[in-house]
Amino acid sequence: MKKILAALTIILLALSCAQAPVQQPLENSVVYEMNVRQYTPEGTFAAAQQQLPRLKDLGVDIVWLMPIYPIGVEGRKGTLGSYYAIKDYCDINPEFGTLEDFDNFLAEAHRLGLRVVIDWVANHTSPDAKWATDAPSYWYERDAEGNLTYTADWSDTANLNYNNPDMCAEMARSMRFWMERGVDGFRCDMACEVPLEFWQKTIAELRADYPEMYMLAEGEEPLLHTLSDFDASYSWELHHLMNSIARGEKNIPELLEYLAKDAERQPADAFRLMFTSNHDENSWAGTEFERMGDAAKVMAVLTFTLPGGQPLIYTGQEMGWNHRFAFFEKDPIPSWEDNEYTDFYKWLIKTRHDNPALAAGDKGGVFEVVSTEDSTLVFTRTLPDNKVTVKAELKAPWSYDITAE
């Protein structure tokens, strides 16, 4: 009987391994930004966990969670406060649940073959953060009167002092806390406001133990890649250019000029995060439909096919949710449903996965412009065994087409 049970165990383990989901290579991956507060009526990890199979079915590969940490009270904006006014880097916002709830969410995501990265806000904390009360005062920047400083109108935050090695070491240790829990990397807020040397040292030390770690920088400085070793960086300039094209202010010449300049500035292996929306744009500038109107879909096609790009989908885009989320309040999606936008993004993601020529960085195919007649851009992405042709009409009626061979 023992031999039979042992044999059955071996068979079950083999079947389990054989059925384990295969993760896309990072260069082929599609990023999905999850706003946990607004993701479900409950606004918890437990509720969001129930939506992970839907995201797997959509086809996304990397789930980026907006900040998950406790939010400070001092200077709090609105009722619930900004996710980016962090009180404790090594704990969970009770609004979302507990550390155990997060661990369960992470385990389920990994079971489905999804990577999970968390937002890391290294430039500042809340004024009443654990560090502000427990650590030496020189962990923070101070003005001439010794008061905490903050950036812009973010009066619910306090800037950290990166000239202090003890603070830097604790920041790196806090990042390691989450890597040890099993997260797959970080999206780093305002990455260029933090000394690049900090990222260089910290990323190198983390990669020594977690070589598959994914690092996304909110910033466009090429040194984020060449010095600090981030995998991906934001293509903010492209995003604003696409808004201008949608308004009829610019067109193909400016787009091609941007692509040439970006290819010259950025290293060939850099992933350039491309998007028609994200949490900043949605809440403060408007949805993609407000900014781009009927051009929203063709602009999304460009984010999936332009050279160097890694595409991003923000909460709600996969069902065409045309609503600005309140940033400091509960403002959830009432329910999820499949519709034409779901089919659209499934098609884009499958096209991306099926065609290595569309990969980010230097793994993708060579970019070549075929024609630019009458505001219709036709270009190809070509590898020896894969060629994709994209046609994008950059004026009304804003049509698009992708063919592969």
Side-chain angles (χ1 to χ4, degrees):
M1 178 61 73
K2 289 183 178 179
K3 290 182 179 180
I4 293 173
L5 288 174
L8 285 172
T9 300
I10 292 170
I11 291 170
L12 288 171
L13 285 171
L15 287 172
S16 174
C17 292
Q19 295 170 359
V22 177
Q23 290 183 331
Q24 287 287 331
L26 285 175
E27 65 270 13
N28 285 26
S29 296
V30 174
V31 183
Y32 184 95
E33 181 185 5
M34 180 183 284
N35 186 332
V36 179
R37 176 183 286 169
Q38 317 300 13
Y39 210 70
T40 61
E42 300 88 346
T44 63
F45 283 123
Q49 182 177 328
Q50 301 305 309
Q51 297 297 326
L52 289 174
R54 183 182 61 80
L55 288 182
K56 179 65 176 178
D57 184 62
L58 183 67
V60 299
D61 308 291
I62 300 172
V63 178
W64 149 29
L65 300 177
M66 289 178 68
I68 59 177
Y69 322 97
I71 294 171
V73 175
E74 185 177 337
R76 174 175 286 192
K77 296 190 175 186
T79 305
L80 298 176
S82 170
Y83 314 92
Y84 294 85
I86 293 168
K87 190 168 186 176
D88 186 345
Y89 284 111
C90 296
D91 204 354
I92 292 291
N93 184 348
E95 184 187 340
F96 301 157
T98 65
L99 270 170
E100 182 180 5
D101 293 331
F102 173 78
D103 290 340
N104 292 336
F105 175 95
L106 184 62
E108 175 64 6
H110 286 166
R111 186 188 71 79
L112 293 169
L114 300 169
R115 292 182 173 93
V116 176
V117 301
I118 58 177
D119 219 319
W120 197 256
V121 188
N123 181 65
H124 52 259
T125 70
S126 68
D128 55 345
K130 184 177 180 180
W131 290 3
T133 56
D134 295 353
S137 62
Y138 48 76
W139 279 30
Y140 288 84
E141 290 184 356
R142 304 273 173 174
D143 63 18
E145 285 74 41
N147 299 311
L148 296 167
T149 68
Y150 56 87
T151 301
D153 65 342
W154 301 344
S155 54
D156 57 343
T157 68
N159 291 330
L160 289 161
N161 176 18
Y162 275 85
N163 290 320
N164 183 268
D166 293 334
M167 189 283 295
C168 293
E170 186 61 18
M171 181 67 72
R173 189 202 67 78
S174 298
M175 294 178 74
R176 185 172 288 274
F177 169 86
W178 293 103
M179 292 301 298
E180 289 173 350
R181 284 197 101 79
V183 304
D184 298 288
F186 300 93
R187 176 266 184 188
C188 297
D189 186 67
M190 296 179 64
C192 288
E193 297 301 312
V194 174
L196 295 178
E197 292 76 15
F198 169 80
W199 296 126
Q200 179 186 27
K201 180 177 187 295
T202 303
I203 292 173
E205 290 174 348
L206 288 173
R207 282 203 198 279
D209 295 321
Y210 306 99
E212 300 302 313
M213 177 178 68
Y214 171 78
M215 294 295 292
L216 165 61
E218 185 196 16
E220 295 201 83
E221 169 57 56
L223 287 173
L224 289 164
H225 298 283
T226 56
L227 176 67
S228 301
D229 198 28
F230 278 92
D231 299 290
S233 58
Y234 271 49
S235 55
W236 275 119
E237 186 177 350
L238 173 65
H239 175 74
H240 296 307
L241 174 57
M242 290 192 297
N243 285 336
S244 295
I245 293 172
R247 291 191 298 265
E249 299 165 356
K250 297 180 180 179
N251 208 274
I252 294 173
E254 292 85 358
L255 177 59
L256 296 181
E257 180 184 2
Y258 163 80
L259 292 173
K261 181 178 72 174
D262 200 62
E264 183 179 347
R265 289 184 70 235
Q266 299 288 348
D269 61 352
F271 301 175
R272 305 289 284 122
L273 192 76
M274 297 182 180
F275 47 89
T276 58
S277 188
N278 59 39
H279 67 269
D280 286 310
E281 292 301 294
N282 172 275
S283 290
W284 309 120
T287 70
E288 64 270 32
F289 303 108
E290 292 179 78
R291 291 176 285 101
M292 297 177 171
D294 292 339
K297 279 188 175 180
V298 71
M299 296 305 168
V301 167
L302 293 181
T303 67
F304 274 76
T305 58
L306 286 175
Q310 181 174 50
L312 170 73
I313 301 170
Y314 178 52
T315 292
Q317 285 194 282
E318 72 271 37
M319 68 172 193
W321 188 244
N322 189 11
H323 175 76
R324 296 191 190 199
F325 290 110
F327 205 81
F328 308 121
E329 310 293 339
K330 192 80 179 79
D331 184 21
I333 290 177
S335 63
W336 289 95
E337 60 183 46
D338 288 356
N339 56 28
E340 65 172 289
Y341 291 96
T342 316
D343 294 338
F344 171 69
Y345 279 105
K346 282 184 177 180
W347 168 68
L348 277 180
I349 294 169
K350 186 176 188 305
T351 299
R352 178 84 179 193
H353 288 166
D354 289 349
N355 292 282
L358 297 178
D362 54 2
K363 299 290 179 62
V366 174
F367 172 74
E368 183 178 358
V369 176
V370 176
S371 68
T372 60
E373 185 177 352
D374 192 28
S375 296
T376 301
L377 173 63
V378 181
F379 64 88
T380 56
R381 301 283 307 283
T382 307
L383 289 174
D385 57 354
N386 182 218
K387 180 178 180 179
V388 177
T389 302
V390 180
K391 180 180 180 181
E393 188 171 350
L394 300 182
K395 67 175 183 180
W398 307 103
S399 63
Y400 53 85
D401 184 62
I402 304 175
T403 59
E405 56 187 86

